[in-house]
Amino acid sequence: MKYKYLHTSIPLGIARSVDDESARLYLACRRYATLAFMLLFAFSGKAQTLRGDVNTADYPNVSFTWNEYNPQKLDSEQFILRADSGKIATRVENLPFGDSVPQAKSILFLWEDLNHQSHEGQSKFVQSVLNQFFGDSTLNSADRFNIAVFDRKGGNDIGHSIHTWLASDFTSNRQQLAEAVAVFRPKYDLFSNQQNSELYFAIEEGIVRLEKEPSDRVRAIVVFTAGSNLDNYGGRNSIDEARAVSLKIPVYVVKYPIRGCEHCTNIDLISQKTYGQQIATANTLIATDLLQQCYRGMSARHHGQDYRIAFTAPFCRDGQQHSIVLTVGGKEYSISFTAPELTFSMWLKENLLWATLIGISTLIIIALTAFFIVRAIKKHRRKLIELEIRQQTAAQKAEDSRKEFEQYRQQKDEEETLAKKREKEKRFAEQMRVKNLLPRLQYELSGARYSFSVIKPEIIIGRDADNDLVLVNDSVSRHHAKIVFNGNSFEIQDLGSTNKVIVNGAFTERSTLKNGDIIGLGEVIIYFSV
C-alpha cells in the first residue's frame, strides 16, 4: 500500500511515494495549498498586536513592532499605512523570534472513538501513534498533556461529545497517559452504525477546557480523526475559528484516510484557519515523526511573526496625539502616538537672525546686571565677614567659660562619687569582718596550687597585672570578671570576657556564689569557699 501525507501550513517533507508521479503530485498540491492558505489569511486579520510603544525618538522617523499570529511570513505589500493626508510610505522588516516565545505547552489530544467497519484499524493506529509520541524522551518535562475520547453520533449519544477523559486533568506524567491509551477499549464494536462524528462539539469543548490553562503557555489541540461529513443529526459542522484564533489555540489534525471520505475536508479548513497543521497518513511511523515535528515547532508557530514597520510621519512637532490606520491583509487597525514638541534648537534654526540679536542684547543686559550684583555682593560680604568674626570671638569666650564650668562640675561629681564608693566599700568591708565573710578562692596555675582570700567588697580578676587577682593564662581575658559583696552575699559578674564565666558548668553573666561553687574562667578552675 502507498501512503501519502500532507502538511498544509508548512510542508515537512516530500510525499513518501515509490514513484516520481506521486512526488510531482505532492509538490503541485503543496503549491496550491500554500497559495490557498495565504489567500485565506489575507482576509482573516486575527490576533494581531502592537508590541511595545511607538518609537518617536528620531522624529519624524517613526517605527513600531507589529506581531501577526499567522506563522507564515507576509509580504511588505500586505502592510498599508494611511493618515488623513493619504497613504504613507512604509519600510517593513521581518524580525527574528525574541525571548518572548513561550516554551511550556498544554496539549489536548482528541481521539475519535470510531470502530466502524470502513474505519477498521483507526483505533489501533491512534493507540500506536500516541504510545510512540509519549515514549519520546525529548518531550519537554514542563509540558502538560491530556487525552479525551469523543463519541460518534447515534442512539442516545446525540448531542454528547467528549465522553472519556484519560486523565482527570492536564499532567506531565506521560507514562500514566501511555498506560491509559494502552488499556482503552472503543465504546462501539465494528458492526455499530456510527457514521457521523461529534468532531466539532469535541473541538469546541476542548477549546473551553484549554482556555483554563495559563495563557502564557502554548495551548494546542491535536485531533485524531477520519474527517467528518456534513452533520445530518442536529450537530455542528464547524467551529468558531475566530474564537480559537483570538485565544491562540490552533487545531492540529492527524487524519486517518479512508475510502469514500475524500470530501471530508471541513476539518482541513479548520486546521488552516486556526493556524494548525495537518498530517494525512495511515502509516504510524510517518504520523509519529510528523507529529513530533509539529510538536517541536509549536512554540515558534504560537509566537507568529514580528515585523518592524518604519515610516516618516507627516505631522508637525506639536506635542499632540496623532492617529494612523494600519491595514494588514485587508483588516484595519488604529494606531496612535504623540509627536514630540518643537524644541528650542529647532526654533533657532528657523529664526537665526532674530536669535542672534536677542542673544547679543541679552548678554549685554546680563553683563551689566552681573557687574552691579557682584559689587553689591562684595560689599555685603565684607560686612558679613566682620560680623562673623565678632560672633566667633564671643562664641569662643562663651565656650571656654562653659568648658571650665563643666570641668569643675565633673571634678566635683567624681570626688563625690569616689567618696560614696569608698564609704560603701568601707561599710561592706566592716560587714564582711563582723560577719566573718572572708571567702577563699583556690585555683591551680602551671601545675601549682594557689589560694586567694577575698578581704574587700570588690575584687577584679584577669590576666593584666592591675587586677586584684592576676591569672596568667592566655584563656583568661585582660579583665575577665569581678566578685562583688552586696551586703548579704557574693556574686560574680562577667566583664565582657572572650571565654565567658562558667559557674557550676553553666555560662552566666551574673550569678550569686555559694560555698563550694566551681568557677571557670577560660581554662582556670577556681573553687569558691566561705
Side-chain angles (χ1 to χ4, degrees):
M1 179 180 291
K2 299 178 182 178
Y3 297 106
K4 292 183 288 184
Y5 61 90
L6 174 65
H7 242 249
T8 58
S9 296
I10 299 178
L12 295 178
I14 302 298
R16 298 187 178 182
S17 303
V18 297
D19 53 14
D20 294 338
E21 182 180 354
S22 297
R24 288 195 296 271
L25 178 61
Y26 165 74
L27 293 174
C29 292
R30 185 185 70 173
R31 286 194 293 268
Y32 288 123
T34 303
L35 178 60
F37 182 78
M38 293 180 64
L39 290 175
L40 173 68
F41 286 107
F43 299 95
S44 62
K46 302 294 182 181
Q48 292 89 348
T49 54
L50 176 67
R51 291 192 179 276
D53 298 326
V54 178
N55 183 7
T56 59
D58 193 25
Y59 198 84
N61 296 320
V62 180
S63 65
F64 59 90
T65 301
W66 186 260
N67 174 261
E68 286 281 321
Y69 178 44
N70 184 353
Q72 297 290 334
K73 291 183 181 179
L74 301 179
D75 295 332
S76 58
E77 289 77 11
Q78 293 180 265
F79 295 86
I80 300 174
L81 206 60
R82 293 183 180 276
D84 293 340
S85 57
K87 184 177 179 181
I88 304 174
T90 59
R91 300 174 297 281
V92 180
E93 176 188 1
N94 181 248
L95 302 177
F97 293 126
D99 297 333
S100 61
V101 178
Q103 298 300 325
K105 295 177 279 293
S106 294
I107 303 175
L108 172 61
F109 291 93
L110 296 181
W111 180 351
E112 184 177 64
D113 182 10
L114 178 59
N115 217 18
H116 190 265
Q117 297 176 36
S118 62
H119 293 248
E120 185 177 2
Q122 181 177 341
S123 292
K124 290 183 179 179
F125 167 79
V126 176
Q127 283 180 312
S128 178
V129 172
L130 286 176
N131 276 321
Q132 291 182 50
F133 178 81
F134 286 120
D136 187 353
S137 61
T138 62
L139 297 182
N140 187 355
S141 60
D143 291 348
R144 296 197 291 263
F145 307 91
N146 206 342
I147 304 173
V149 185
F150 61 93
D151 283 344
R152 301 296 292 187
K153 282 174 114 4
N156 295 326
D157 291 329
I158 294 178
H160 298 277
S161 54
I162 297 175
H163 76 262
T164 302
W165 288 89
L166 300 194
S168 59
D169 200 353
F170 283 83
T171 177
S172 298
N173 190 340
R174 291 179 280 151
Q175 183 178 358
Q176 172 191 345
L177 292 173
E179 292 174 354
V181 169
V183 301
F184 178 79
R185 294 294 176 265
K187 185 175 182 180
Y188 306 104
D189 58 30
L190 286 174
F191 303 100
S192 60
N193 188 25
Q194 305 299 313
Q195 296 181 356
N196 291 312
S197 174
E198 292 279 15
L199 174 62
Y200 306 109
F201 276 114
I203 295 175
E204 286 283 7
E205 288 190 11
I207 291 174
V208 172
R209 180 61 188 84
L210 271 173
E211 190 176 1
K212 298 177 182 178
E213 287 290 290
S215 59
D216 59 349
R217 300 173 66 89
V218 174
R219 301 175 293 186
I221 292 176
V222 179
V223 186
F224 289 88
T225 180
S228 176
N229 294 318
L230 293 180
D231 203 327
N232 298 321
Y233 290 87
R236 303 187 59 175
N237 56 23
S238 186
I239 68 168
D240 185 359
E241 297 96 348
R243 181 166 178 268
V245 171
S246 66
L247 294 172
K248 291 192 174 184
I249 300 178
V251 178
Y252 291 75
V253 177
V254 181
K255 193 172 179 181
Y256 184 82
I258 61 171
R259 291 182 179 180
C261 200
E262 290 79 7
H263 57 286
C264 304
T265 58
N266 218 29
I267 186 65
D268 306 353
L269 296 178
I270 291 173
S271 178
Q272 294 173 3
K273 290 178 181 179
T274 60
Y275 301 100
Q277 294 175 289
Q278 185 179 131
I279 300 169
T281 180
N283 187 302
T284 57
L285 293 178
I286 294 175
T288 303
D289 179 63
L290 293 178
L291 181 59
Q292 289 170 342
Q293 292 185 47
C294 289
Y295 166 79
R296 290 191 290 269
M298 281 182 180
S299 294
R301 293 181 65 83
H302 173 90
H303 182 81
Q305 297 287 339
D306 285 342
Y307 302 88
R308 179 180 289 111
I309 302 175
F311 63 96
T312 301
F315 309 111
C316 298
R317 291 175 172 267
D318 53 9
Q320 301 296 317
Q321 191 175 61
H322 299 278
S323 295
I324 53 177
V325 176
L326 173 66
T327 302
V328 184
K331 190 170 181 65
E332 294 184 348
Y333 302 91
S334 179
I335 298 175
S336 62
F337 64 92
T338 301
E341 294 183 353
L342 182 64
T343 62
F344 181 69
S345 60
M346 295 294 296
W347 181 87
L348 285 179
K349 292 179 180 179
E350 298 174 1
N351 302 274
L352 184 58
L353 179 60
W354 280 105
T356 303
L357 294 176
I358 293 173
I360 294 173
S361 301
T362 303
L363 288 175
I364 294 174
I365 294 172
I366 291 175
L368 292 174
T369 304
F371 172 76
F372 288 108
I373 290 175
V374 169
R375 190 172 67 172
I377 289 175
K378 288 182 177 180
K379 183 177 180 180
H380 181 67
R381 188 175 181 181
R382 285 195 298 269
K383 291 181 179 180
L384 289 178
I385 291 174
E386 293 174 357
L387 177 62
E388 184 178 357
I389 292 173
R390 290 196 296 270
Q391 290 176 343
Q392 289 178 351
T393 302
Q396 186 63 41
K397 290 181 179 179
E399 180 65 18
D400 293 342
S401 299
R402 187 191 65 78
K403 287 181 178 180
E404 290 178 3
F405 175 76
E406 191 67 29
Q407 290 175 357
Y408 173 78
R409 188 179 65 179
Q410 184 177 359
Q411 182 180 358
K412 287 297 182 182
D413 289 344
E414 291 175 354
E415 291 175 355
E416 184 178 353
T417 301
L418 183 59
K420 290 180 179 179
K421 182 178 179 180
R422 288 174 178 173
E423 180 63 27
K424 182 178 179 181
E425 289 179 351
K426 182 177 179 182
R427 186 172 68 254
F428 280 174
E430 182 63 22
Q431 290 180 8
M432 290 172 60
R433 186 184 62 79
V434 172
K435 296 179 180 181
N436 196 26
L437 295 175
L438 301 173
R440 285 179 300 161
L441 303 179
Q442 297 179 347
Y443 59 95
E444 184 175 329
L445 276 177
S446 302
R449 293 185 177 182
Y450 298 93
S451 178
F452 180 86
S453 296
V454 180
I455 60 175
K456 60 179 184 177
E458 179 179 307
I459 65 166
I460 307 297
I461 306 173
R463 192 175 69 246
D464 281 1
D466 59 349
N467 291 282
D468 298 297
L469 173 56
V470 178
L471 301 178
V472 182
N473 188 286
D474 291 339
S475 65
V476 179
S477 297
R478 296 174 60 191
H479 298 90
H480 200 112
K482 67 179 179 180
I483 296 178
V484 180
F485 177 69
N486 57 20
N488 296 310
S489 60
F490 290 87
E491 67 177 24
I492 187 167
Q493 300 175 8
D494 189 358
L495 298 179
S497 62
T498 301
N499 293 321
K500 307 301 180 184
V501 174
I502 302 174
V503 176
N504 296 328
F507 289 102
T508 182
E509 295 289 335
R510 178 191 296 263
S511 180
T512 300
L513 298 174
K514 302 182 295 298
N515 184 39
D517 282 350
I518 301 174
I519 303 169
L521 303 182
E523 298 176 354
V524 179
I525 304 302
I526 301 174
Y527 296 91
F528 179 84
S529 59
V530 181

